[in-house]
Amino acid sequence: MRQRETMTVLSTRALNRATLARQLLLDRADLPVAGAVAHLCGLQAQEPQEPFAGLWSRLRAFQPAALSELLARRGWCART
């Protein structure tokens, strides 16, 4: 007979905290810019400065020049 697995049900607060952590919004991360963008599966923005603000709020040692360099590379990001 197959044994049943039990699943933990998260409280609303625990689910909220897990979501914030996954989005790098609970604590600032020690990741490079490219690593953070990959972790987040990309960044979406309507205005040019929004990705800079988004990464500044997520990364402990964010350097705007690092994002500028990545954006200048061909094939690194999609712009529509």
Side-chain angles (χ1 to χ4, degrees):
M1 183 176 262
R2 187 173 179 188
Q3 187 177 16
R4 260 189 199 200
E5 292 182 32
T6 59
M7 294 178 51
T8 302
V9 177
L10 297 176
S11 68
T12 302
R13 178 174 169 74
L15 181 60
N16 173 270
R17 303 304 278 184
T19 301
L20 290 173
R22 185 181 68 242
Q23 296 172 350
L24 304 178
L25 292 170
L26 193 56
D27 292 311
R28 286 189 168 180
D30 288 318
L31 292 172
V33 171
V37 174
H39 174 86
L40 297 168
C41 299
L43 289 172
Q44 188 274 335
Q46 300 299 321
E47 298 292 329
Q49 295 303 316
E50 290 174 358
F52 291 88
L55 289 172
W56 175 83
S57 65
R58 290 173 165 94
L59 301 179
R60 185 164 291 133
F62 175 64
Q63 296 296 320
L67 179 57
S68 294
E69 289 172 15
L70 289 173
L71 292 173
R73 288 187 198 168
R74 287 187 166 270
W76 192 82
C77 66
R79 293 179 220 155
T80 59

